[in-house]
Amino acid sequence: MDRSYKVYQAKYLIPKSDKGPAFTLNADPACFHAELINDGKICAFITRKTYAEAKHEGEESMKLGS
């Protein structure tokens, strides 16, 4: 069983409008997402307040298959 995770900062996508093209903004206050991946498919998507918390969740998910 192949497990991995990916952590990244949350962003908002502002769609294209009459006022201009689409663009992204970092979430404020900052929060972080983690995708927990099992056999190449996302099996969970979580949001945490800090990078360390999101990374910890990812690392813990890796231990589940051990």
Side-chain angles (χ1 to χ4, degrees):
M1 198 177 291
D2 182 35
R3 293 179 183 261
S4 62
Y5 66 94
K6 178 181 173 184
V7 177
Y8 51 92
Q9 186 171 0
K11 296 182 179 192
Y12 295 106
L13 173 62
I14 309 303
K16 178 182 171 183
S17 70
D18 295 340
K19 298 177 183 178
F23 62 96
T24 59
L25 293 173
N26 288 336
D28 185 22
C31 61
F32 296 85
H33 297 311
E35 295 175 353
L36 309 180
I37 302 163
N38 188 2
D39 291 330
K41 296 180 183 178
I42 297 173
C43 63
F45 180 86
I46 61 169
T47 302
R48 298 293 181 261
K49 290 184 179 185
T50 67
Y51 181 88
E53 290 173 328
K55 182 179 177 190
H56 176 75
E57 292 284 343
E59 291 170 348
E60 289 298 310
S61 75
M62 299 284 288
K63 293 178 185 176
L64 294 175
S66 303

